[in-house]
Amino acid sequence: MHALGASFTPRCSTETPSNRGGPISSETRINDRIRVPEVRLVGPNGEQVGIVRIEDALRLAEEAELDLVEVAPQAKPPVCKLMDYGKFKYESAQKARESRRNQQQTVIKEQKLRPKIDPHDYQTKKGHVSRFLGQGHKVKVTIMFRGREQSRPELGFRLLQQLADDVSEQGFIEAKPKQDGRNMTMVLAPHKTGKGHKSKANAS
């Protein structure tokens, strides 16, 4: 390699092996680990610099106090980008954690009821729905009709409306009751603010 490339001390050096690799690829090469004659260089703001010698790319990285990161090793020539690799890895980890939190928040629980549910069973089901909403989960409530009950959809509708009113402090109707074959479904979502006025607005 050119003397400049050999003398260049990367910000993510061999003294800190924990900084190697990262979310771009399990085998991401950075700085003087990129051993090709030339690369297609992309600037820190996404601007296309063009095809340059690896020595020049490393020099530009050093001058900008950034890392040269290989982002498309299969390209001819490989595509490299100037970036703060340590900051990139940190931000990627933050985004991954946020994504996991969002996935947890959008978990949909389900509760099934019968149109002529026993009062004690109703209280039990209502408690489950209230607890799920309190934990930040959405709840899909399903009314299951059998036989002649299918000719009385208003029974299921009234039951769903009653349930929505009973848990209005914890959640609101996100998807209004609708008939789905032999079932009627409704989706409740938790309040972000903890207020119960949304339920009445959606139920009306």
Side-chain angles (χ1 to χ4, degrees):
M1 180 180 291
H2 190 278
L4 176 61
S7 63
F8 171 48
T9 302
R11 299 174 70 251
C12 296
S13 66
T14 54
E15 296 178 358
T16 55
S18 61
N19 284 339
R20 291 187 175 185
I24 292 179
S25 168
S26 59
E27 299 180 354
T28 298
R29 295 188 298 182
I30 61 174
N31 299 321
D32 56 2
R33 294 173 59 196
I34 305 172
R35 302 183 181 279
V36 293
E38 58 185 18
V39 299
R40 183 177 297 278
L41 187 62
V42 178
N45 297 316
E47 64 274 21
Q48 298 292 328
V49 178
I51 298 176
V52 300
R53 295 187 307 160
I54 185 64
E55 294 87 353
D56 294 331
L58 288 170
R59 176 178 55 79
L60 290 172
E62 183 178 19
E63 291 175 353
E65 297 186 349
L66 295 171
D67 298 302
L68 182 66
V69 181
E70 189 178 54
V71 296
Q74 303 302 322
K76 301 294 182 182
V79 179
C80 294
K81 183 175 182 180
L82 298 176
M83 67 172 72
D84 183 334
Y85 189 54
K87 180 180 179 181
F88 172 82
K89 290 203 302 179
Y90 173 78
E91 292 178 347
S92 295
Q94 291 288 91
K95 291 178 180 179
R97 282 194 290 269
E98 183 66 25
S99 177
R100 287 194 294 270
R101 282 197 294 268
N102 291 337
Q103 289 176 354
Q104 292 173 355
Q105 291 174 355
T106 57
V107 168
I108 298 181
K109 301 291 186 176
E110 185 171 11
Q111 284 294 297
K112 297 181 178 181
L113 294 77
R114 293 294 308 283
K116 298 179 181 179
I117 189 171
D118 177 85
H120 180 268
D121 290 340
Y122 174 79
Q123 292 299 323
T124 300
K125 297 286 187 178
K126 183 184 72 173
H128 292 330
V129 172
S130 180
R131 184 177 74 255
F132 291 146
L133 291 171
Q135 293 172 346
H137 303 306
K138 294 182 180 182
V139 183
K140 178 182 178 181
V141 185
T142 301
I143 302 295
M144 301 180 297
F145 296 96
R146 292 182 182 176
R148 296 181 179 179
E149 291 175 348
Q150 296 181 56
S151 64
R152 299 288 305 279
E154 69 276 6
L155 296 178
F157 182 80
R158 284 201 296 265
L159 183 57
L160 292 176
Q161 289 291 116
Q162 178 185 345
L163 179 61
D165 289 339
D166 288 345
V167 298
S168 61
E169 291 299 316
Q170 290 76 39
F172 63 97
I173 298 176
E174 182 180 71
K176 295 183 179 181
K178 67 176 182 179
Q179 194 77 27
D180 183 15
R182 294 185 178 182
N183 301 328
M184 181 176 289
T185 62
M186 173 182 73
V187 177
L188 298 170
H191 292 303
K192 293 183 179 180
T193 60
K195 296 180 180 180
H197 68 277
K198 291 183 179 179
S199 176
K200 295 181 180 179
N202 282 274
S204 60

